[in-house]
Amino acid sequence: MASSFGTLFRISTWGESHGPSVGVVIDGCPPRIPITAEEIQTELDRRRPGQSKITTQRKEADQVEILSGVLDGVTLGTPIALLVRNEDQRSRDYDEMRTKYRPSHADFAYDQKYGIRAWSGGGRASARETIGRVAAGALAQKVLASSGVEVVAWVEKVHRLTASVDPLSVSREAVESNIVRCPDAAMADQMIELIESVRKDGDSIGGTIACVARGVPAGWGEPVFDKLEADLAKAVMSLPACKGFEIGGGFGMTDFRGTEVNDEYEADNERRVTTRSNNSGGIQGGISNGMPILLRAAFKPTATVMREQHTVTVEHENTTLQGRGRHDPCVLPRAVPMVEAMVALVLVDHMLRQRAIS
């Protein structure tokens, strides 16, 4: 099973949703990077369950333990191992799922691939696996910050409600100002109301998360198979429930002509090159061009709903299944730090790769 990601800054996540613990091993983090458990915990708190009335009510502190690679608050350059213990599993909520596949979950596909699955909580297919990603992302963001790079994501759309946000000025503080993580305050209130309504109806909804990386210099990325946007797409699309990805103008650019969407270059008095527009989303030919990197990811409605649905048993007999347990009616608020983490992991990896050749 492929549970590792990255080339020079490489992570390997481990653990199942209802196992004793989950975590990550980070290899390739540069030495002498200041980091504390509290800084990692801040990111994990943004991802953890039970944080608001519109997220799953599973109660987990998600308290991180640094097992190796950090001494006196700085990285050693050696592998960093981070662990979070699972404390609030309710495996009994999944008893019926031992013999029945949940619609739109990975249960059936896992069984077909491996002949065995962690039926309680979804195992590695659970969003709980992303704890390791977010913890590693906290390290990646610290490394990026030392080079003046900042990554900010936010909920842009819930169902048909779309926020208006300026990616050049949006701040983490604005994103964190409400429980849905949408910096458009008026739209955030409507989103929260909608998610609460959907939860009471026993259903779920999806939407999109937008993300900006500011301060990325020109030159990061590779021109062929490891194009920066390709690695970003793989990273973000590897998140649970993510079903769509676009960079810059994305699919919307298909409605225009080249003269309408081409990013024309210009130089200032100090001969610094920028573009007049940023429809390329900060990446051209697979390499960053110095403009802000803009991307968007689509997340489907949460698969587990509190309604009866058609499915099959492990013996491939037709049956029905009604969701039980504690689940997010909308994954978007908790997915914001996940998207930031994956974007940061890609960028720090390409930063180190560029340093190796320059």
Side-chain angles (χ1 to χ4, degrees), residues 42-49 51-52 54-55 152-158 163 165 170-185 187-189 191-192 195 208-210 331-338 340:
T42 295
E43 293 304 302
L44 290 178
D45 286 347
R46 299 172 68 217
R47 193 224 69 92
R48 70 175 176 82
Q51 61 184 267
S52 77
I54 59 172
T55 64
V152 180
W154 64 94
V155 172
E156 179 186 58
K157 181 173 175 285
V158 173
V165 179
V170 64
S171 67
R172 174 72 64 85
E173 290 73 25
V175 173
E176 294 297 311
S177 66
N178 55 72
I179 59 176
V180 77
R181 294 200 166 93
C182 173
D184 181 339
M187 188 56 67
D189 290 339
M191 291 175 174
I192 293 169
I195 294 173
T208 62
I209 289 175
V331 302
L332 295 167
R334 295 176 61 213
V336 166
M338 300 178 198
E340 289 176 347

Side-chain angles (χ1 to χ4, degrees), residues 283-303:
I283 302 173
Q284 291 166 330
I287 302 170
S288 61
N289 65 4
M291 298 294 287
I293 293 176
L294 306 172
L295 60 91
R296 182 178 292 108
F299 287 80
K300 69 175 183 176
T302 313

